[in-house]
Amino acid sequence: MTKNDQDDLIHRLEIVKEKLTLDAIQAFHRGNLAGKLNLQVRRDYILHLLNQFRQRSEGTPLPRRAFLSYSSETGRDYADYVKEKLKANHKFDVTTGFEPQRGDEGNVLSRVLAGLNRSSIFIGILTKEYDITSGSNVTAAPSVWTVEEKGMALALRLPVVLLIDEAVAADYWRKTTPANVHHSFTKETFEKRADEAMLQLVQNFEARIDQYLRSSRPDTSSDSTQLPFRAPSYFFEAGA
Amino acid sequence: MIFTSGQQAAEGRLAVPYFLRAALGVHDEAILNVVPLANGPGPISEFIASDVSSHSWHDIWRLEATFIDRPGIIASLASLLKHHSIGILRTRCTVANHVESLHVNMNLDLTSYSSDYDGNTQSRKENPMIPLAELKAWISAEFALDLDFLAPGQPLLSIRRNHALLRASHSTSAAATVPITRGFLHIPENTILAKGAQHTNQQAADSSVWYLVADEDQMILHIYRALPRAPIVHARFNCDDSVGTLALLASEFRRKRLNILQCYLRPQGRHNRSIIDFLLQHTRKKPSRVPKDLKELMIKVATKFDKRLNCKVSFPVPRKSRSQRWHQRMDALWGEEAK
């Protein structure tokens, strides 16, 4: 069986899951509660298989892969250092928003999202890219994409660390990320701060693996956002 | 699982009773692949026989599923398996629950099946613990509305490996193809059944007591003989049918260091009695500590439980081979005429 066959399987499971969801909701609207429960049990099982195979197509549920976010204009040298250290010292693969990803649909946003979905940790390097003038105030701003990517990583609940150039204004990071993930640096202190940040992140990753191994229940709740339409909230309540 | 009591081979042949052949679906003139299971350099004491080609033994699986019955289930399932290049060796299916459920039981040959997750036949041979998760997912997707689900949310669908054949496939000895002729199976001639040159293979086979066990689930016939180094006894206990009878007898055997090789318990019905056949072997390593007469030991056990279980013991004799019985009859007949 080839890669296409795997995608076929995932596609087939998606179709079956959507059909079961539709049928279950129709059964509920007709007042057939037993039928709805029966279909819901089947849907949950198919969803469990779907999650399992989606994770498998990524290699493992928690791949040793880091997403590195940086500005190609001002952060490339810093990124190269982090990339090299992550590979050599911590045995992580590194992916970025600049690389094409499987299933990225050809646009940048979905490429970044696909890359983040395939990663287990996130490192953002915020370097000064613009000067923004507001009245008499001039503030240094990072690349728009680094801020976007950081937001996506936080939404996906990836372990995050940010390496922030001291020149970048606090408005772009202080209030939007937890305080313990900020690591400010200057050109002279970058390597030391980057090593500390990577160590913190890898420890966080190992803790996640421990947590994953301890939890034996398959996670079927995370998929509720992927329904083809808005289902009534009580549909997903346990025992409904 | 069905088994026979011990029998002696005659001229290197074993009688395979009809009920064993019927259970395995193996009939006269069928060719069996027989593999000796070597346990070190000593003489062979166990064989595995199956009509499945020995080249596929490492990749034979058993699919069991329960569907909500409708026309076309078998057609869809067979087409799905064909699509994945999976051969069906045997199928048994039947309806149940007022024709609402359909139980399907299939033996599958997966040597031509390959997938990224389930691997190919070679990788499955090297990693016996690979589950067929992808094939199971395909079947689950195809029959999402048809599979019977248990309450906790798991469908009644399982795909398990045939471990007995997998183990036999690791045997270093080559498989011999042996036909069943008139209900008899020849023990392969190229196997070593005796140490040294003082006995031929046939003599060694004929002097042993052989036991046949048909595992119809696994599609195999186990053929083994009692190891000569430790004494064996076949005892039949006839006891009152009460709760704990087997526990009492088995605990007593454990105390006396007797290992149960076979046990067959069935009720006698009319008189609230049970008949329990045991094939027991002593496990003490020092020969001086092994009781000389195991039958005497069995009588002691029966006497001990006589008051409590009204226990009687008898010792069925291993069944003589058909030709031995024929010769015995002829001897008796001609002997009488001569007199």
Side-chain angles (χ1 to χ4, degrees), chain A residues 1 6 16 42 45 53 57, chain B residues 84 114-117 134 144 147:
Chain A
M1 196 173 281
Q6 282 176 37
V16 171
R42 288 163 198 277
Y45 178 68
F53 279 90
S57 73
Chain B
H84 291 279
S114 128
S115 91
D116 263 20
Y117 297 135
E134 193 169 335
L147 279 165

Side-chain angles (χ1 to χ4, degrees), chain A residues 1-3 5-6 8-10 12-13 16 19-20 23 38-39 41-42 45-46 48-49 52-53 56-57, chain B residues 68 84 113-117 133-134 136-138 140-149 153-155:
Chain A
M1 196 173 281
T2 62
K3 209 74 180 166
D5 291 327
Q6 282 176 37
D8 280 356
L9 175 61
I10 290 172
R12 175 86 181 121
L13 288 169
V16 171
K19 186 181 180 323
L20 289 170
D23 289 353
N38 179 11
L39 289 159
V41 165
R42 288 163 198 277
Y45 178 68
I46 296 292
H48 164 61
L49 289 177
Q52 193 182 335
F53 279 90
R56 278 176 171 221
S57 73
Chain B
I68 299 159
H84 291 279
Y113 168 67
S114 128
S115 91
D116 263 20
Y117 297 135
E134 193 169 335
K136 201 173 169 184
W138 275 110
S140 302
E142 185 69 29
F143 298 99
L145 285 167
D146 302 308
L147 279 165
D148 202 350
F149 270 69
Q154 288 290 320

Side-chain angles (χ1 to χ4, degrees), chain B residues 235-256:
Chain B
R236 179 169 293 167
F237 287 84
N238 193 324
C239 318
D240 283 344
D241 187 9
S242 60
V243 174
T245 303
L246 180 62
L248 275 175
L249 288 172
S251 305
E252 187 63 19
F253 296 147
R254 184 179 58 192
R255 265 196 292 279
K256 297 194 181 305

Side-chain angles (χ1 to χ4, degrees), chain B residues 6-14 43-44 187 193-195 198-211 224-229 232 318-321 324:
Chain B
Q7 64 168 296
Q8 278 181 292
E11 295 163 12
R13 296 184 312 167
L14 292 169
I44 299 291
I187 294 166
L193 296 174
K195 252 185 185 173
Q198 67 271 40
H199 296 295
T200 63
N201 263 353
Q202 191 174 310
Q203 284 169 336
D206 291 358
S207 63
S208 304
V209 177
W210 294 86
Y211 300 91
Y224 66 93
R225 58 178 175 163
L227 291 172
R229 65 170 178 268
I232 283 187
R319 192 173 159 81
K320 283 184 176 167
S321 72
Q324 279 175 325

Side-chain angles (χ1 to χ4, degrees), chain A:
Chain A
M1 196 173 281
T2 62
K3 209 74 180 166
N4 285 341
D5 291 327
Q6 282 176 37
D7 293 342
D8 280 356
L9 175 61
I10 290 172
H11 182 61
R12 175 86 181 121
L13 288 169
E14 273 168 354
I15 290 171
V16 171
K17 186 205 78 183
E18 283 172 18
K19 186 181 180 323
L20 289 170
T21 310
L22 250 171
D23 289 353
I25 288 172
Q26 280 172 1
F28 182 75
H29 286 162
R30 282 199 306 271
N32 178 4
L33 293 182
K36 178 224 147 195
L37 193 62
N38 179 11
L39 289 159
Q40 193 177 339
V41 165
R42 288 163 198 277
R43 177 193 175 275
D44 286 348
Y45 178 68
I46 296 292
L47 187 54
H48 164 61
L49 289 177
L50 191 55
N51 286 338
Q52 193 182 335
F53 279 90
R54 275 191 191 136
Q55 285 174 350
R56 278 176 171 221
S57 73
E58 299 305 331
T60 149
L62 287 171
R64 216 170 168 82
R65 189 179 299 121
F67 189 96
L68 181 59
S69 171
Y70 64 96
S71 158
S72 61
E73 287 185 16
T74 56
R76 190 174 290 278
D77 292 343
Y78 298 133
D80 286 346
Y81 175 82
V82 171
K83 211 184 274 188
E84 190 191 315
K85 287 286 173 187
L86 273 175
K87 279 184 182 171
N89 295 357
H90 303 293
K91 313 291 177 213
F92 267 83
D93 282 341
V94 179
T95 189
T96 67
F98 303 107
E99 295 167 10
Q101 305 284 348
R102 190 152 58 87
D104 66 8
E105 298 167 15
N107 68 61
V108 182
L109 203 60
S110 57
R111 186 165 71 206
V112 169
L113 193 57
L116 285 167
N117 267 324
R118 295 180 62 224
S119 305
S120 303
I121 56 173
F122 176 90
I123 298 186
I125 304 173
L126 271 60
T127 48
K128 178 187 162 188
E129 191 153 316
Y130 311 105
D131 277 330
I132 294 179
T133 312
S134 168
S136 58
N137 287 341
V138 179
T139 53
S143 155
V144 177
W145 276 107
T146 53
V147 178
E148 288 274 343
E149 287 166 358
K150 179 202 73 176
M152 287 184 194
L154 286 171
L156 290 170
R157 297 183 183 179
L158 291 181
V160 168
V161 288
L162 293 179
L163 286 159
I164 305 158
D165 189 338
E166 281 184 355
V168 173
D171 297 347
Y172 296 99
W173 49 270
R174 190 183 295 283
K175 288 182 183 172
T176 52
T177 44
N180 60 341
V181 302
H182 305 146
H183 295 264
S184 295
F185 70 88
T186 59
K187 202 171 181 180
E188 291 72 35
T189 61
F190 175 76
E191 290 186 4
K192 188 178 171 224
R193 301 312 306 272
D195 290 346
E196 287 169 7
M198 282 185 273
L199 194 63
Q200 179 194 346
L201 197 53
V202 170
Q203 282 169 353
N204 203 337
F205 172 75
E206 301 293 348
R208 262 193 102 192
I209 286 187
D210 278 351
Q211 197 182 355
Y212 176 79
L213 292 175
R214 281 189 201 128
S215 65
S216 56
R217 278 188 67 183
D219 178 20
T220 53
S221 59
S222 61
D223 200 65
S224 57
T225 54
Q226 295 188 14
L227 288 172
F229 46 81
R230 190 180 170 80
S233 60
Y234 44 76
F235 183 74
F236 297 103
E237 284 167 13

